[in-house]
Amino acid sequence: MVTLRPSPADAPDAHELLAEYFRARTEGFALMDVSYRTSFPDPAAFVPPAGVFVVLDDDEGVAQGCGGIRLIPPGALGTRYELKHLYLRPGTRGRGWGRLLVEDLERRARGFGAAELVLDTHHSLEAAGALYARTGFTPIDPYNDNPNATRWYGKTL
């Protein structure tokens, strides 16, 4: 059974997962002849109620995935949080753990009073796009200027 636990974004296991995530994105973008800008998150952005960072542990207590939400400027619907750095180690994918992470972070955003949850991603991350569609996210207009993003999604909470 997996567990989801809040964690500082700069805790050793969270940092290791983020480093793997950024390394995979950098390598994947290089194959497309596109550069990827790596930027470790400011841990303060993921401290409640400004946000939260979550680590997913497998049944042996090994950190296998992560993700976070952070408060961003309000949108047309009001209080808005952004889903960031959703990552699962490749060997764990296909088990439904991505959905568990998204649903947990969505629940936490609601608890902080969010009216909307938004995210950005790159079109090459097809599995991520499919996960977001399965969990109720729909395409929206860009809300930021993230150079790594080509698609933006939102969900009314």
Side-chain angles (χ1 to χ4, degrees):
M1 180 167 144
V2 300
T3 57
L4 297 160
R5 60 178 166 87
S7 171
D10 59 353
D13 53 0
H15 185 83
E16 180 181 332
L17 288 163
L18 286 170
E20 287 178 23
Y21 169 75
F22 292 137
R23 193 168 35 257
R25 294 286 48 84
T26 300
E27 291 168 359
F29 275 48
L31 292 173
M32 295 181 292
D33 201 27
V34 177
S35 63
Y36 180 82
R37 190 182 79 201
T38 297
S39 179
F40 279 89
D42 175 4
F46 296 96
V47 174
V52 65
F53 197 82
V54 173
V55 170
L56 179 145
D57 294 325
D58 65 16
D59 57 357
E60 295 178 5
V62 178
Q64 298 289 354
C66 63
I69 55 169
R70 65 180 181 186
L71 184 65
I72 61 172
L77 299 174
T79 304
R80 186 166 57 162
Y81 279 77
E82 181 181 36
L83 181 68
K84 294 297 294 178
H85 309 303
L86 195 72
Y87 175 72
L88 283 171
R89 289 189 161 138
T92 68
R93 296 177 189 163
R95 300 178 188 182
W97 294 358
R99 178 183 282 275
L100 289 175
L101 273 166
V102 170
E103 290 173 350
D104 181 78
L105 292 166
E106 182 180 319
R107 179 185 59 76
R108 292 171 191 272
R110 276 192 183 98
F112 291 146
E116 183 180 23
L117 188 59
V118 297
L119 63 94
D120 61 34
T121 190
H122 192 268
H123 66 273
S124 65
L125 300 174
E126 294 175 13
L131 170 64
Y132 301 138
R134 284 192 312 273
T135 53
F137 286 85
T138 57
I140 61 171
D141 290 332
Y143 62 89
N144 65 21
D145 60 356
N146 181 351
N148 298 323
T150 57
R151 293 187 180 155
W152 291 259
Y153 295 95
K155 183 176 183 177
T156 302
L157 301 180

